[in-house]
Amino acid sequence: MKKLLGLVVMASMLLAGCGSLQGTVSEMTEASFILEVESDDARQAPTEEIFMTDHTEFIGAVSSFEELKEGDRVKVTPFDTTPDIPYFLASRVTVE
């Protein structure tokens, strides 16, 4: 049973990184920012609007949305949402 629980925890940790985006902040708005996405995937749009929640965590060179600025290089990890929500809601924003 402990091995099964360990496998489930490991799989969850590996999948948590799926769907994240990397790129450069190109524009700031009142409650979101536009990310110029760095991706080799032709299906990925070149920009993505990233929305914050009260639970968005900031890691690295900034500790809040107010400190984020255009030109910052970031990695954004989304909340796990349903397809009904068409927004990219950031769970974690890691700033280099």
Side-chain angles (χ1 to χ4, degrees):
M1 186 66 169
K2 287 184 181 180
K3 288 183 180 182
L4 179 61
L5 181 59
L7 288 173
V8 169
V9 169
M10 292 291 285
S12 297
M13 289 172 54
L14 290 172
L15 291 175
C18 294
S20 63
L21 296 175
Q22 287 186 293
T24 304
V25 176
S26 65
E27 182 181 336
M28 299 291 298
T29 70
E30 215 172 285
S32 66
F33 64 89
I34 305 298
L35 181 69
E36 287 183 7
V37 179
E38 297 170 0
S39 175
D40 293 333
D41 187 351
R43 296 171 293 171
Q44 173 63 52
T47 61
E48 186 81 42
E49 186 167 12
I50 311 296
F51 291 89
M52 306 306 113
T53 72
D54 291 341
H55 302 288
T56 300
E57 178 182 18
F58 287 85
I59 299 174
V62 303
S63 59
S64 69
F65 177 71
E66 292 76 26
E67 294 177 11
L68 193 63
K69 61 186 180 308
E70 292 177 10
D72 283 343
R73 295 189 40 76
V74 299
K75 178 178 180 182
V76 183
T77 305
F79 277 108
D80 186 20
T81 59
T82 65
D84 301 356
I85 300 175
Y87 310 113
F88 194 101
L89 297 175
S91 168
R92 178 179 297 140
V93 178
T94 306
V95 183
E96 294 178 359

